[in-house]
Amino acid sequence: MDCVPALDEPLKKVLGPATAKVMAEHLGLHTVGDLLHHYPRRYEERGQLTHLADLPMDEHVTVVAQVADARLHTFASSRAPRGKGQRLEVTITDGSGRLQLVFFGAGVHKPHKELLPGTRAMFAGKVSVFNRRLQLAHPAYELLRGDAEETVETWAGALIPIYPATAKLESWKIGKALQTVLPSAQEAADPLPESLREGRGLVPLPEALLKIHRPHTKADIEEARARLKWDEAFVLQVALARRRYADTQLPAVPRRPRPDGILAAFDDRLPFTLTEGQRKVSEEIFADLATDHPMHRLLQGEVGSGKTMVALRAMLAVVDAGGQAAMLAPTEVLAQQHHRSVTEMMGDLAQGGMLGGAENATKVVLLTGSMGAAARRQALLDLATGEAGIVIGTHALIEDKVQFHDLGLVVVDEQHRFGVEQRDALRGKGKQPPHLLVMTATPIPRTVAMTVFGDLETSVLDQLPAGRSPIASHVVPAADKPHFLARAWERVREEVEKGHQAYVVCPRIGDEEDGAKAKKKSPEDEAEKRPPLAVLDTAEQLARGPLAGLRVEALHGRMQPDDKDAVMRRFAAGEVDVLVATTVIEVGVNVPNATVMVIMDADRFGVSQLHQLRGRVGRGSAPGLCLLVSEMPEASAARQRLNAVASTLDGFELSRIDLEQRREGDVLGQAQSGTRSSLRMLAVIDDEEVIAEAREEATGIVAADPELERLPALRTALDALLDEEREQYLEKG
């Protein structure tokens, strides 16, 4: 069969090369099907018919009137210096009043021919004032012939679709192009299985496409939207369900802990009991590790909910079963921190092959880019021989030189900082695909987890371990109430006097080149007329001023790794009272004695980031305090964001607020690599039910027919969603 299916027809054949070129370059639309799925952003009503005597200003109106007079004027302008500019002025009347219409330039020719005195027509446009007279500029109009009453009713009441457009292609031109291709909608293959569509009372796809582009009533729009949302959610969930299904077909070595092994020895020594949540999640993970296909699990947990403990027990289970476990951290500071806390928690169980090591002990090695050659050589050797059961490192773990004896589990900390390629490269180091545990302390609303991480099973830790203290958060309006800021520094002093420590967080380091300062500023920056506060300046000012006499040190990402580590060690040992730092302390830093955090220019940070930072205090038995300092005015969006953070400690609630404030395109765009364009109708936060139901349906359909042989239309829709790049993306995910 040689003929191209109607929806695959290139637009240049249907609309002509010029329009097709603009659509391809500016809107990413290449085929008739692409254009049919370019949905209106909203709908204008042409307005109920208005009498000329009572026209409202600045509103879209529709009037029925008769042309009283039409005059064509020529004038000189910058575009037409030789007096060649043309303006058509048409006066219309409906008996109640008169109104002027104006048309300019090339737009004058058609109305000049059609709007002759005596002609009746409907005119629609926005009312403006020129020379103290009301006018409509370039109104849309329809001549009334024959049965005028019926035309008036249908035309004036019509819903006009307003499309996402570009300067090169106005919405009404897109609407015209859609008129041309709309008949092809009848041939749209329906990806939803008939039983699903009928069971949920959804209209067929061709009908939905007609109703979204040419609705007669608002009910038409609702019906079409409900149906098209289902398509997007369902096709994406089928892609992810097939991914999960394919993963269950991969071979993996089951890893079961020995009853008398290193895990049992570790558990016996724990000075505290695990929370109910930690036990439940550990059981889910152990069940996955015992299967003969790779685990793919996302572990979400509030800051400080004990994720590291859960991950460590999973790693020990794998070591028990003769395998190795690798933990990938996004920064050197964090890798060192994890290494330190893991070796401390394990004690002599981490001293495999050393004097004083326990009998079940293994070696825990650190591998980062800045290690010395000798230490690095030893670490690589321990990995290759299997001497080291656990390795903790940065992306240095991914390099070609790193060989494992038998890699059984990969734990990725702070998923959102790792590219898919990096995760994939590490997984490729196992003889068979290793099990994968992805951890994040950025709470992800359930729907986003189902959409962005839909190929991973999800576990949630939502209890804080015993002994964790609540954190009080307050906004400090430095500009409106400077004495509040002075009080903040007094609070820091009070905490230090009680034997505790404090963090002060700033958005910038302060040793940037001048060029960096000259970057384009956001409107909020412009309003403040000053760059964000910097660590180096702030540390100096505090040490000389409000915190004089306290031990104040600075920490930032551009310091040498050894220097950074030394500062962190001094702080952890209680030799530093106040640590002034960038967000380098955002994840994983654990100093239980730190009770207060002051975040300067807090409005420069995102909601999730503030929540992460705040989680660094209140990690011991004393209550935590977080002060969000901002100079933004009370009514600004930035202040509302800070108020939201101060009002709740629930990370899931905050992540919803965060998502509503950023368009979810940002979230999906970064995480889905290109799939963002597939979500035109679906709103990840609002359509939670649709996504959850679609996931359930998709899982059932894929289990029954993994290759979708009985559903060719769904297979086609899937191929369109997953072009090469996305298919690879999902495979790697």
Side-chain angles (χ1 to χ4, degrees):
M1 190 170 89
D2 290 342
C3 76
V4 178
L7 270 64
D8 294 341
E9 191 76 58
L11 285 173
K12 59 171 176 274
K13 284 195 174 171
V14 187
L15 303 175
T19 309
K21 184 168 188 267
V22 177
M23 285 194 170
E25 284 175 7
H26 295 274
L27 297 168
L29 308 175
H30 303 277
T31 65
V32 168
D34 291 344
L35 182 54
L36 285 173
H37 288 293
H38 186 71
Y39 307 132
R41 178 179 288 136
R42 58 191 169 82
Y43 299 85
E44 285 281 354
E45 294 182 64
R46 282 209 168 97
Q48 302 319 308
L49 294 177
T50 314
H51 286 285
L52 292 186
D54 34 65
L55 286 178
M57 270 300 297
D58 276 342
E59 279 190 26
H60 218 82
V61 298
T62 300
V63 295
V64 175
Q66 194 163 9
V67 176
D69 180 37
R71 297 171 183 218
L72 190 62
H73 302 273
T74 54
F75 59 90
S77 72
S78 57
R79 286 187 175 179
R82 297 203 185 101
K84 294 278 178 62
Q86 292 190 313
R87 179 174 76 247
L88 176 66
E89 290 177 2
V90 177
T91 307
I92 57 173
T93 175
D94 68 349
S96 74
R98 296 166 83 82
L99 178 66
Q100 185 159 20
L101 317 177
V102 292
F103 301 88
F104 293 98
V108 304
H109 304 308
K110 187 167 176 274
H112 190 219
K113 282 208 295 269
E114 293 180 339
L115 299 179
L116 303 170
T119 308
R120 277 190 87 231
M122 275 185 295
F123 303 91
K126 197 171 183 183
V127 183
S128 56
V129 173
F130 182 70
N131 279 348
R132 290 190 295 203
R133 287 167 64 192
L134 293 184
Q135 68 168 28
L136 296 182
H138 282 286
Y141 65 87
E142 178 130 320
L143 303 178
L144 294 177
R145 306 185 180 90
D147 185 353
E149 279 313 302
E150 186 202 351
T151 317
V152 168
E153 280 315 303
T154 54
W155 197 80
L159 293 156
I160 308 166
I162 306 296
Y163 291 93
T166 75
K168 293 262 167 58
L169 202 63
E170 299 93 336
S171 170
W172 62 269
K173 284 188 182 160
I174 296 171
K176 271 212 152 102
L178 267 150
Q179 285 285 37
T180 311
V181 302
L182 210 48
S184 307
Q186 294 301 341
E187 296 180 45
D190 200 324
L192 291 191
E194 202 167 323
S195 55
L196 187 158
R197 187 167 56 73
E198 288 175 357
R200 296 191 176 273
L202 299 166
V203 299
L205 182 58
E207 187 183 327
L209 289 171
L210 289 172
K211 283 182 169 172
I212 200 82
H213 293 298
R214 290 291 165 271
H216 294 301
T217 62
K218 289 185 175 160
D220 283 354
I221 299 171
E222 286 315 304
E223 274 192 352
R225 279 192 170 144
R227 163 61 216 249
L228 295 166
K229 276 179 181 178
W230 249 94
D231 276 18
E232 288 178 9
F234 180 69
V235 174
L236 184 56
Q237 291 301 337
V238 166
L240 294 163
R242 291 190 69 216
R243 221 19 279 139
R244 291 194 300 276
Y245 178 83
D247 285 337
T248 64
Q249 307 305 301
L250 288 172
V253 180
R255 311 280 180 175
R256 293 185 187 85
R258 296 199 313 274
D260 57 347
I262 190 170
L263 177 62
F266 176 76
D267 283 352
D268 287 346
R269 299 161 175 224
L270 278 182
F272 51 82
T273 52
L274 297 173
T275 64
E276 187 52 41
Q278 284 175 315
R279 274 206 298 279
K280 185 176 130 290
V281 170
S282 287
E283 277 161 23
E284 290 172 351
I285 291 171
F286 291 153
D288 284 357
L289 290 173
T291 59
D292 54 9
H293 55 81
M295 162 172 84
H296 286 95
R297 192 166 280 282
L298 173 69
L299 173 56
Q300 302 190 52
E302 279 289 14
V303 175
S305 57
K307 292 182 303 297
T308 311
M309 174 57 72
V310 170
L312 176 55
R313 294 183 74 237
M315 294 198 288
L316 293 174
V318 169
V319 172
D320 256 353
Q324 290 169 293
M327 185 182 225
L328 197 54
T331 64
E332 292 212 353
V333 167
L334 195 49
Q336 285 160 346
Q337 176 90 29
H338 275 319
H339 181 254
R340 197 174 311 132
S341 60
V342 164
T343 48
E344 278 167 15
M345 283 196 271
M346 286 175 63
D348 58 3
L349 290 171
Q351 296 171 359
M354 296 181 223
L355 272 171
E359 71 173 292
N360 286 320
T362 186
K363 235 181 187 182
V364 179
V365 301
L366 176 69
L367 192 61
T368 63
S370 65
M371 284 169 76
R376 187 182 172 75
R377 236 188 341 267
Q378 185 58 51
L380 290 173
L381 188 64
D382 288 343
L383 287 180
T385 60
E387 190 81 15
I390 294 178
V391 58
I392 296 168
T394 54
H395 51 264
L397 280 177
I398 297 167
E399 292 170 9
D400 292 342
K401 290 195 200 74
V402 181
Q403 299 295 326
F404 287 87
H405 177 64
D406 178 15
L407 181 61
L409 169 67
V410 174
V411 178
V412 179
D413 191 23
E414 288 309 319
Q415 147 63 26
H416 61 286
R417 294 160 177 247
F418 275 106
V420 172
E421 285 74 16
Q422 293 170 303
R423 256 173 32 194
D424 196 47
L426 189 52
R427 273 172 48 191
K429 301 229 172 244
K431 295 188 176 70
Q432 284 193 321
H435 299 282
L436 175 69
L437 179 65
V438 168
M439 299 199 296
T440 178
T442 307
I444 303 163
R446 179 165 161 259
T447 46
V448 180
M450 286 191 292
T451 311
V452 179
F453 300 108
D455 55 336
L456 302 171
E457 298 299 335
T458 304
S459 297
V460 178
L461 274 177
D462 46 14
Q463 280 171 294
L464 288 186
R468 272 306 170 83
S469 302
I471 305 169
S473 305
H474 303 283
V475 178
V476 177
D480 316 349
K481 300 180 179 164
H483 59 287
F484 275 37
L485 183 57
R487 177 74 190 109
W489 301 126
E490 280 171 28
R491 283 291 290 118
V492 170
R493 272 190 177 285
E494 286 163 19
E495 286 298 311
V496 172
E497 277 159 21
K498 288 183 202 163
H500 297 305
Q501 292 160 278
Y503 295 103
V504 176
V505 180
C506 301
R508 243 173 15 107
I509 295 174
D511 59 357
E512 295 86 348
E513 298 296 309
D514 286 344
K517 292 179 188 167
K519 272 198 206 131
K520 196 164 178 289
K521 294 188 175 72
S522 73
E524 288 191 349
D525 288 356
E526 283 297 340
E528 294 174 337
K529 292 284 183 264
R530 69 162 178 77
L533 290 171
V535 166
L536 298 173
D537 309 340
T538 306
E540 196 180 319
Q541 285 159 11
L542 289 176
R544 281 208 314 262
L547 302 184
L550 301 187
R551 296 169 297 177
V552 178
E553 292 211 25
L555 176 73
H556 58 76
R558 282 214 288 276
M559 288 165 69
Q560 288 302 314
D562 291 351
D563 297 344
K564 268 192 291 201
D565 202 38
V567 173
M568 270 318 300
R569 276 177 194 279
R570 285 200 295 278
F571 188 62
E575 294 161 17
V576 173
D577 298 320
V578 180
L579 186 63
V580 183
T582 55
T583 53
V584 70
I585 61 156
E586 180 187 349
V587 280
V589 173
N590 185 20
V591 179
N593 191 41
T595 52
V596 57
M597 173 177 286
V598 181
I599 303 179
M600 307 303 291
D601 283 342
D603 46 88
R604 313 273 181 143
F605 299 97
V607 170
S608 294
Q609 203 173 24
L610 290 169
H611 183 58
Q612 288 277 335
L613 285 165
R614 166 171 67 183
R616 301 296 118 217
V617 294
R619 298 176 80 85
S621 52
L625 173 65
C626 178
L627 300 173
L628 306 165
V629 180
S630 171
E631 293 187 358
M632 295 306 284
E634 183 81 53
S636 63
R639 271 287 282 283
Q640 286 164 3
R641 211 169 54 228
L642 297 182
N643 291 340
V645 174
S647 67
T648 178
L649 289 171
D650 180 342
F652 287 91
E653 180 50 36
L654 288 174
S655 65
R656 283 186 88 95
I657 294 168
D658 200 15
L659 247 191
E660 280 159 10
Q661 288 188 336
R662 297 158 34 197
R663 293 177 347 276
E664 62 226 353
D666 303 344
V667 178
L668 296 177
Q670 290 163 359
Q672 284 276 145
S673 163
T675 310
R676 175 184 166 197
S677 58
S678 69
L679 297 189
R680 298 186 175 97
M681 196 57 88
L682 201 64
V684 169
I685 283 285
D686 302 338
D687 297 318
E688 182 162 344
E689 273 176 41
V690 175
I691 292 171
E693 288 170 17
R695 179 178 168 114
E696 208 171 295
E697 293 274 9
T699 306
I701 280 167
V702 169
D705 180 10
E707 291 304 312
L708 307 178
E709 283 164 0
R710 296 191 288 282
L711 299 167
L714 174 55
R715 181 79 239 199
T716 308
L718 203 59
D719 293 342
L721 171 73
L722 302 178
D723 53 33
E724 281 306 294
E725 176 198 354
R726 294 186 203 148
E727 181 83 70
Q728 283 169 3
Y729 171 81
L730 284 168
E731 275 183 6
K732 290 176 178 176

